[in-house]
Each structure stands twice: as structure tokens, then as C-alpha cells.
Amino acid sequence: MPSSRSISSRQPRAAKCGVDASPPAIIRVGPAGWSYPDWGGYVYPSRRSKGFHQASFLAEFFDTIEINTSFYQPLRPDHATQWIDRVAANPRFVFTAKLWQRFTHDTFSTTPGATADDERAVRAGFDPLRSAGKLGAILLQFPFSFHRTPETASYLAGILKRFGDYPLVVEVRHASWNSPATFALLREHNAGFCNLDQPIIGRSIGPSEAATSAVGYIRLHGRRYDTWFTDDATVPTHERYNYLYSPEELAPWASRIHKVAEKARDVFVVTNNHYQGKSVVNALQLISILKRSKVKVPEPLRQHYPELEEIAANPPESPTLFPLGNEVKR
């Protein structure tokens, strides 16, 4: 049985007119993605047993992972079916997944939308997850350049209608979307709003605690102001996400998560600051804050990040005198 159980909101919604209060929301916390070369020896053991799979390993510690490969191309149905089996040991586990970028990045400004074949390909990959009860949300992640205008609002409404039979969540990064009209549009289509932590540069949308459907969503991207919008080709792309939140930076988000949970039924909290496993560190810390207890911590991550000792429920598998990692964490 996984040690990181689903987290119930500690602040149940109030009862009205003598009717029992709604059940507390289920809060699931986990990282974005699992297939990163730099996670070898950080998150995953350097020596892996036969049959080792990253998703199975992470499902020992988390009740969700956001699938990000679906952003770059539609999921293969056979892969989706395999992933369901990989996480079966954790009955609480539910995936979320990003919608193919063809619908959110490639078409909104020039054409009325992706093709019917594109939609069929996307659905073919998501449907095995949905049929198995393992698809908690599909994230429509739009870029900062997607500003709110009558045309883009109309385009968003079309996508929400097109995929309206799935549980949808919308991530917009430009502050022009922070308006009552946006939230009304999402409620109209029963779509959730993604609350963000990102570098606040120019008109970047700021932290929030909104919920517009039964699905609440939070994504933490890190705060690398120096690399977030860089066009310097010499800066590796992973540097956008090379940021480790401190417990003091996570605490306000724990409060916002509880507030979202007062208004939603299922809440997903995704850490996207993935470089060298920092998203896993912060996800574990958030679970510890939300549960107010220690959590199971993977090896060798705790050796690279000594701050995990404070929240680790399990003793080190192989005690060492010196930590393996001495990298600058930010």
C-alpha cells in the first residue's frame, strides 16, 4: 500500500439548512511527468531491478502524475493501457494529462482549430484512461502569448465544447484572462481553472485560489525570473524549471490548496519544477504540510536534498557520512 495517501481537505464545506456537509475534497499531489534523463540517480535508483518503471516507482509516493508527453503528440492507446497497469498497486492513483499542443499552441491564431483526425487521435489515447477511471483531468495549457480577446475567448469556448465530455482544466498565463468573464465562461462549460505559480513578469497572471468546476487544479512552475522568458540559445531549456521552493514559499500555497478544496471535489496539485527532481522534493514537502505528518521519501533523493530528512518517515536505506549531491539548489 503506498505511503502517500490521498489527502482530504481539513476544512469541509459548511452544511446548509440542516443538510450534511459535502464530503471533503480529495487532494492529490504529484510531479509533472516522469521520464527525465537527469532523474537517474536523483529520483530513481542508479541500479534498477528488472521490470523497473518510473511511473510504478512514483506511484509508491504519489497519488497522481501529470502526463506531459500528450502535449507533444497524442497518446498511444497501448501506452495508456500499460500505464494503468503500472500504477495498479496504488488504487488511489489518478492521472491527469495535457492536451496536444496542436489545439492550444499551433492553431488558435491562424485557423479555426485542429482537424477531426487530430481530435480522434487525442481521444483514442485518453479514452483507455477514462474507461479505467484513471483520468482525473485534461489540462488545456495555453502560452503567455494567448491574450484574452473576443477571438481567443471564442476559440477557447469552441475547444471546451469540443472536448466537453472530459473533465477539463484551463491554464492561461496572461493577466488579461483574470476577469469575471473568464470564470463565467469556464463555469458555463463546466471547466476548471488552473491556479499558477510562475515568475510574475509584465502581465503574467498571479497566484490565485479559484475553482470553477468540481475539479480544482494548481501548478507550480518555479520562480526562475532570469530564464523564464529568455531567448538566449546558450541557456539550456531545463533552466526554466531549475528552482527549488523553500518550505516558506510552499506554505501560502498549502493555504490556497485548502481554499480550492472547499469549492471543488477533486483537487490536483502538480509541481513542474522538474530539473534534478526538484518537483518531487517539493511535492513531498507539500504532502507533508497538508497532512501535517512525515512522508515516505525515495532514495537516493534524500541524499541529494538533505532538507528531506526533516519530513522523512522512513530511515535511510544506506546511511552515509556525506550527501551525494552538492549542487546549488537554485
Side-chain angles (χ1 to χ4, degrees):
M1 177 66 65
S3 61
S4 173
R5 297 182 178 180
S6 296
I7 305 160
S8 294
S9 169
R10 297 180 183 274
Q11 300 173 341
R13 283 153 279 188
K16 294 182 179 180
C17 302
V19 179
D20 291 340
S22 300
I26 300 298
I27 304 174
R28 293 179 174 90
V29 182
W34 63 75
S35 183
Y36 300 104
D38 55 88
W39 281 21
Y42 271 80
V43 178
Y44 308 127
S46 298
R47 296 181 180 179
R48 304 176 188 180
S49 60
K50 185 178 180 180
F52 178 91
H53 192 273
Q54 298 99 318
S56 302
F57 182 83
L58 291 177
E60 297 180 25
F61 305 93
F62 303 110
D63 291 331
T64 194
I65 305 171
E66 182 183 88
I67 300 171
N68 59 18
T69 55
S70 55
F71 177 76
Y72 300 101
Q73 59 187 5
L75 296 180
R76 283 177 43 179
D78 59 326
H79 286 175
T81 300
Q82 290 171 15
W83 296 340
I84 293 167
D85 293 337
R86 295 291 189 183
V87 301
N90 181 353
R92 304 173 187 273
F93 191 95
V94 176
F95 288 104
T96 68
K98 293 165 71 174
L99 185 65
W100 190 13
Q101 63 182 340
R102 184 162 295 178
F103 291 89
T104 58
H105 284 60
D106 298 345
T107 62
F108 68 82
S109 62
T110 57
T111 71
T115 68
D117 285 341
D118 293 333
E119 180 180 341
R120 280 192 287 270
V122 165
R123 287 179 172 275
F126 288 153
D127 282 348
L129 297 171
R130 177 169 62 175
S131 297
K134 294 298 181 183
L135 181 61
I138 294 175
L139 179 74
L140 284 60
Q141 176 192 293
F142 289 93
F144 178 80
S145 59
F146 188 64
H147 299 182
R148 182 175 174 270
T149 66
E151 292 76 21
T152 55
S154 177
Y155 179 83
L156 175 57
I159 294 296
L160 294 176
K161 184 176 180 179
R162 193 170 189 174
F163 292 99
D165 54 311
Y166 293 101
L168 302 179
V169 173
V170 174
E171 175 181 337
V172 284
R173 299 185 178 184
H174 192 268
S176 58
W177 292 98
N178 186 15
S179 72
T182 298
F183 299 122
L185 174 65
L186 296 179
R187 291 189 182 97
E188 177 186 351
H189 292 277
N190 195 32
F193 177 80
C194 181
N195 302 278
L196 292 181
D197 191 89
Q198 64 175 344
I200 306 301
I201 302 172
R203 295 206 66 199
S204 299
I205 201 165
S208 57
E209 50 197 44
T212 54
S213 77
V215 178
Y217 217 93
I218 294 95
R219 296 186 88 215
L220 308 185
H221 293 291
R223 299 177 182 177
R224 279 298 299 269
Y225 282 82
D226 56 333
T227 58
W228 189 243
F229 287 136
T230 186
D231 55 3
D232 185 346
T234 65
V235 177
T237 56
H238 66 245
E239 284 299 325
R240 288 189 78 195
Y241 306 102
N242 185 9
Y243 186 88
L244 184 71
Y245 289 92
S246 69
E248 293 74 23
E249 290 171 324
L250 294 177
W253 275 105
S255 177
R256 294 186 186 102
I257 291 165
H258 279 308
K259 290 184 182 300
V260 171
E262 292 177 1
K263 298 171 279 190
R265 183 184 64 233
D266 293 287
V267 179
F268 296 93
V269 183
V270 176
T271 49
N272 193 36
N273 51 326
H274 55 75
Y275 185 60
Q276 293 183 336
K278 292 178 173 66
S279 59
V280 179
V281 175
N282 288 146
L284 290 167
Q285 289 174 321
L286 268 174
I287 292 172
S288 179
I289 294 170
L290 293 168
K291 292 178 64 175
R292 301 180 185 177
S293 67
K294 294 188 176 184
V295 297
K296 182 181 177 182
V297 173
E299 303 283 355
L301 194 67
R302 66 194 298 158
Q303 298 183 50
H304 287 281
Y305 297 95
E307 52 266 66
L308 286 175
E309 291 297 336
E310 185 176 345
I311 65 167
N314 51 311
E317 293 179 4
S318 301
T320 59
L321 292 176
F322 304 101
L324 296 179
N326 56 5
E327 294 82 6
V328 176
K329 298 299 191 297
R330 301 195 183 192

